[in-house]
Amino acid sequence: MSPGSVGLKLYPKLLSLQQQHPKLIIDYRFAPNLDIERALVNHEIDIGFMTTISASETISCQAIATEALMLVTPASIETPSWDTLIQLGFIDHPDGAHHASMLLSANYPKFQHSNDFEQKGFSNQIALILEPVGRGLGFTVLPAHAVAAYEKPQLIKSHYLPTPVSETLYLVTNHDHVLPNRMQTVISEIKRWL
């Protein structure tokens, strides 16, 4: 289990690994951090990836990668000034306020909250969050893997802001659960990919 952005990067690669090892069965789920933590505590999954450190004493967290947060606008926007963002409006998603707060507060002194912007849409499907942005309906803030996976990159523009901001990605396991050897191969490959 992982948040959607990193899942967009990992899932196709894990399927390729499964093709190389047909007895390996990949069961991959996209989920928010709290659901991943709960699934590990309940022994429903072998490993997970979270963007926060778990509060549970049974969960081991190992930082394995960082992922940049990107400001994404319609392709026509060359320079995303504060006024431009206000005019565009915000395309929200489940982590939208969190991602916007992290990136925009570091780069726009006027930023206080994602509520500063008129909400112009919402999607909880990671692969669809950029669709309204590509149609010129607003801007959003997403992790880089989600932006890279968008199938119509000519419709959007990713902006590298003066103060870069990244999320840390943690490999999480239940330290009461001994991982099968095959999981060590999976973990090794995932670390290499990330």
Side-chain angles (χ1 to χ4, degrees), residues 81-96:
S81 70
W82 179 255
D83 289 339
T84 300
L85 297 181
I86 291 292
Q87 288 175 353
L88 280 172
F90 189 60
I91 304 299
D92 203 1
H93 55 88
D95 287 325

Side-chain angles (χ1 to χ4, degrees), residues 30-46:
F30 292 57
N33 289 322
L34 289 175
D35 290 355
I36 297 164
E37 185 176 60
R38 183 181 35 76
L40 277 169
V41 167
N42 293 332
H43 301 280
E44 296 167 4
I45 60 173
D46 289 317

Side-chain angles (χ1 to χ4, degrees), residues 69 97-107 111 165-168:
L69 294 179
H98 173 65
H99 288 156
S101 178
M102 290 176 67
L103 183 64
L104 300 182
S105 66
N107 287 280
F111 178 82
V165 175
S166 295
E167 280 190 308
T168 300

Side-chain angles (χ1 to χ4, degrees), residues 66-85:
T66 59
E67 184 175 11
L69 294 179
M70 308 295 301
L71 172 63
V72 188
T73 65
S76 61
I77 305 298
E78 288 299 319
T79 305
S81 70
W82 179 255
D83 289 339
T84 300
L85 297 181

Side-chain angles (χ1 to χ4, degrees), residues 3-90:
S5 179
V6 73
L8 290 173
K9 180 174 178 86
L10 291 180
Y11 186 61
K13 293 181 178 297
L14 287 167
L15 293 178
S16 295
L17 186 64
Q18 183 175 350
Q19 286 177 306
Q20 295 171 22
H21 305 280
K23 292 192 179 202
L24 176 67
I25 305 299
I26 300 297
D27 179 345
Y28 201 101
R29 295 159 196 237
F30 292 57
N33 289 322
L34 289 175
D35 290 355
I36 297 164
E37 185 176 60
R38 183 181 35 76
L40 277 169
V41 167
N42 293 332
H43 301 280
E44 296 167 4
I45 60 173
D46 289 317
I47 64 171
F49 300 92
M50 294 172 44
T51 56
T52 59
I53 293 177
S54 172
S56 172
E57 65 275 356
T58 64
I59 305 292
S60 297
C61 299
Q62 176 189 5
I64 62 166
T66 59
E67 184 175 11
L69 294 179
M70 308 295 301
L71 172 63
V72 188
T73 65
S76 61
I77 305 298
E78 288 299 319
T79 305
S81 70
W82 179 255
D83 289 339
T84 300
L85 297 181
I86 291 292
Q87 288 175 353
L88 280 172
F90 189 60

